[in-house]
Amino acid sequence: MTNLLQLLGGFSQKNTHCTAVVVAAGSSTRMQGIDKIFTKLDGTPLLVHTLRAFESCPLIDEIIVVARQDSHEAVQKLCRAYGFEKVRGIADGGETRSASVMAGLDLASPATTHAAIHDGARPLVSEVVIRQAVETALRTGAAAPAIPVKDTIKVAEREVVLATPNRNSLYAVQTPQVFDFDLLRGALQKALDTGAAMTDDCSAVEALGMKVHLTPGDEENIKVTTPFDLTVAEAILNRRQAI
């Protein structure tokens, strides 16, 4: 594992190599039978919007897509059709998120020092959000974009409220979540070995006792999970084009 001095900022940008792992291997169970990564968003497949953001970001050196095995050919065709030069490989999705991310990391270049893990179903991520997360991870070893929670959150069991956390300390974490490469691999391997269920990659790193630094997220960086989310994403794209 990378030593502590490196995690605290020993890398300079000149000798870093950041691989983006775009996880697009979900089952789309809440999309009413629609494979969301190929559904059209403003006339273009959703996954294309996602990959464009990382293709155009100068801090991203290569991209690995994690997809279901039966989607590999379709993903390859999209990458060729849209001329994505940074996409260097397509990995098979695993049974868990941790397994899927690990499969993507396995295809990363040997030169990789940092990995940016992104949900393939977040097609509206901006270069600013990506850049701020990567730059912070280069200094600290672990970073993720987040936005403050607006709603009051309740902790409940069997529909009975148990507690009301102070929302001033609550954040909704987004992706890309960016980490020192060796740190992330070690964290995910431990999660896989212990069978721990991780809903995001920060959780695996936090389980090692490492700090994750939050960077500014974006309300437009939504995750498309339901057909309604597609409608919202279309509205966001239309607003961007009108500006």
Side-chain angles (χ1 to χ4, degrees):
M1 184 174 293
T2 305
N3 65 43
L4 182 59
L5 288 177
Q6 289 175 319
L7 290 180
L8 293 177
F11 285 119
S12 68
Q13 189 170 322
K14 292 182 180 179
N15 59 3
T16 61
H17 184 285
C18 188
T19 297
V21 176
V22 176
V23 184
S27 60
S28 300
T29 55
R30 286 175 284 182
M31 285 295 292
Q32 299 177 2
I34 302 171
D35 191 334
K36 60 187 175 186
I37 67 170
F38 297 116
T39 193
K40 296 294 180 68
L41 186 58
D42 193 33
T44 302
L46 185 150
L47 181 61
V48 171
H49 289 277
T50 305
L51 294 177
R52 275 177 177 166
F54 289 88
E55 178 82 16
S56 63
C57 181
L59 294 183
I60 299 299
D61 296 287
E62 68 175 357
I63 303 168
I64 303 296
V65 180
V66 183
R68 299 197 314 271
Q69 191 172 34
D70 60 2
S71 299
H72 281 212
E73 185 176 350
V75 172
Q76 289 172 347
K77 287 181 179 179
L78 278 184
C79 291
R80 287 195 297 267
Y82 288 90
F84 292 126
E85 297 181 355
K86 290 184 181 179
V87 176
R88 305 289 167 79
I90 303 173
D92 287 340
E95 293 184 3
T96 64
R97 178 182 177 83
S98 294
S100 292
V101 174
M102 187 67 91
L105 296 179
D106 286 343
L107 292 187
S109 164
T112 301
T113 60
H114 292 77
I117 315 303
H118 188 68
D119 297 320
R122 289 188 188 269
L124 303 179
V125 63
S126 68
E127 182 177 322
V128 171
V129 168
I130 298 172
R131 176 174 52 79
Q132 290 177 329
V134 172
E135 289 176 343
T136 300
L138 293 181
R139 297 193 307 270
T140 68
I147 56 175
V149 170
K150 293 181 178 179
D151 295 327
T152 297
I153 303 298
K154 301 290 185 181
V155 178
E157 184 175 320
R158 297 180 181 178
E159 300 181 348
V160 176
V161 174
L162 300 179
T164 304
N166 182 351
R167 69 181 180 190
N168 291 332
S169 63
L170 298 178
Y171 289 81
V173 179
Q174 303 176 339
T175 63
Q177 298 177 3
V178 190
F179 308 92
D180 171 88
F181 185 76
D182 291 337
L183 170 63
L184 179 59
R185 281 190 64 90
L188 291 177
Q189 189 60 58
K190 181 177 179 180
L192 291 170
D193 290 344
T194 61
M198 300 293 179
T199 57
D200 75 343
D201 305 291
C202 287
S203 299
V205 171
E206 292 162 23
L208 291 183
M210 299 297 295
K211 293 181 179 179
V212 177
H213 295 255
L214 298 183
T215 59
D218 186 345
E219 290 184 340
E220 294 186 353
N221 185 20
I222 65 171
K223 185 175 182 180
V224 175
T225 304
T226 67
F228 176 75
D229 297 330
L230 279 174
T231 302
V232 175
E234 287 276 7
I236 292 172
L237 279 177
N238 290 337
R239 189 188 67 81
R240 286 181 179 181
Q241 293 166 1
I243 295 176

